Amino acid sequence: MGTFVITVVAILTVLGLLLAVILFFVAEKFKVAEDTRIDTVEAIMPGANCGGCGFAGCRAFAEACVKSESLDGFFCPVGGNAVMQKVASALGMTVEEKAPMTAVVRCNGSCDNRPKTNEYGGSSSCRIMASLYSGDTACKYGCLGQGDCEEACNFDAIRINPSTGLPEVDEDKCTACGACVKACPRNIIELRNKGPKNRRVYVCCSSNDKGAVARKACSVACIGCRKCEKVCPFGAITVENNLAYIDFNKCKLCRKCVEECPTGAIHAVNFPVRLPMQPEAFAAPGTTNKDKEE
């Protein structure tokens, strides 16, 4: 009996060694040499693995860059232009700089502007809440305030303000990775250019209801009156489905639309406060009202 066991163990050991040798030679014959530049590019990446670049992670992004003939269409939102320049240098390519972007919440339906019509008592999730019913206010397009965007952000750049019930973006922390955009079931968060001196103008509303209905649900809703569209000298504003939208690539930040909007639905961010107009005769020597605004 003992001899039989020893024989079986010996045979199995020999077979194991034989299979290991066969597997080694097969692996050597069919192995695919990986481009070492992938490791180089991955080392340059910030390592956030946020998916904002459109790939599964930094490694996948690095592989795609190495295999591509150009870097057109590739961009790391976390590392920005500085990282992309390093990637281009490592691969012997060139890359165009992109304007920095930030997340913008296109809803101003705070507790004061958009009163609740009922009380939600379910799971604290915008996605679940949206799947159950239209929301706890009369506006079925606005922010649900359950914080899915806040949970999705890996950079602590967006938080729900408890007093307004709305998410607020810290543009200094925001990397424009787009995680909050994907997390929002109402699609009210958008990535927009930060703009010169971080100044931008946008419609802070996402409602497609007609004017009277939208205004009844929210006092600061866009009512689709087209006044902004008519006053814009650059053709940057279009109104579709009762909602105005400003193309940030065309907008010249003149703010005529802000002054024209009857509900205050258009927001101008990071602009200096405009001083009351006064006769130039009473202004300080060598200055104008325009100078003071700058």
Side-chain angles (χ1 to χ4, degrees):
M1 184 65 180
T3 305
F4 175 75
V5 173
I6 293 173
T7 303
V8 171
V9 172
I11 292 173
L12 291 175
T13 302
V14 172
L15 285 174
L17 292 172
L18 181 62
L19 289 173
V21 172
I22 293 174
L23 289 173
F24 172 78
F25 282 108
V26 170
E28 284 294 312
K29 182 174 180 60
F30 293 102
K31 74 176 181 180
V32 178
E34 190 173 56
D35 196 323
T36 57
R37 293 180 300 169
I38 296 176
D39 293 329
T40 302
V41 174
E42 185 183 17
I44 295 172
M45 306 306 295
N49 293 309
C50 62
C53 57
F55 295 89
C58 293
R59 182 73 180 182
F61 179 79
E63 290 180 4
C65 288
V66 170
K67 294 176 181 179
S68 178
E69 295 181 356
S70 74
L71 293 178
D72 294 343
F74 290 92
F75 189 72
C76 171
V78 178
N81 290 312
V83 164
M84 290 309 300
Q85 289 295 339
K86 292 180 180 178
V87 171
S89 178
L91 298 178
M93 300 181 184
T94 58
V95 62
E96 292 185 4
E97 288 199 3
K98 288 190 176 183
M101 306 188 81
T102 187
V104 170
V105 179
R106 297 184 59 226
C107 176
N108 196 30
S110 64
C111 302
D112 294 332
N113 297 331
R114 184 176 48 130
K116 290 186 177 182
T117 56
N118 57 75
E119 199 66 37
Y120 173 70
S123 176
S124 182
S125 166
C126 296
R127 194 161 296 280
I128 294 176
M129 186 177 179
S131 67
L132 294 176
Y133 72 133
S134 60
D136 51 9
T137 71
C139 177
K140 60 183 178 181
Y141 301 96
C143 176
L144 295 168
Q146 299 300 312
D148 286 20
C149 53
E150 183 176 334
E151 292 182 10
C153 182
N154 293 324
F155 307 97
D156 192 34
I158 186 167
R159 288 185 175 275
I160 300 293
N161 185 325
S163 62
T164 63
L166 296 173
E168 295 179 352
V169 178
D170 185 338
E171 62 184 53
D172 292 328
K173 293 182 179 179
C174 180
T175 62
C177 69
C180 57
V181 177
K182 297 175 184 176
C184 180
R186 288 287 175 84
N187 299 315
I188 67 167
I189 305 179
E190 177 191 14
L191 295 181
R192 296 179 68 89
N193 281 357
K194 279 189 173 183
K197 298 183 180 179
N198 291 339
R199 298 173 184 175
R200 50 194 173 275
V201 177
Y202 64 96
V203 180
C204 195
C205 181
S206 299
S207 175
N208 292 127
D209 283 333
K210 290 185 177 180
V213 177
R215 190 67 184 272
K216 184 178 180 180
C218 180
S219 62
V220 292
C222 172
I223 57 176
C225 64
R226 296 185 180 273
K227 288 185 176 182
C228 56
E229 184 181 38
K230 293 174 182 177
V231 79
C232 179
F234 307 105
I237 304 177
T238 53
V239 179
E240 294 181 4
N241 296 323
N242 308 307
L243 179 65
Y245 181 79
I246 300 175
D247 185 341
F248 55 79
N249 291 311
K250 295 180 179 180
C251 178
K252 304 301 181 183
L253 306 178
C254 70
R255 291 181 285 171
K256 288 185 178 181
C257 57
V258 179
E259 298 169 355
E260 193 71 19
C261 180
T263 65
I266 303 180
H267 287 200
V269 181
N270 294 329
F271 285 87
V273 177
R274 281 182 168 171
L275 298 175
M277 294 300 293
Q278 59 179 334
E280 297 299 332
F282 297 99
T287 65
T288 64
N289 287 292
K290 184 177 180 181
D291 294 330
K292 294 181 180 181
E293 287 184 19
E294 296 297 327

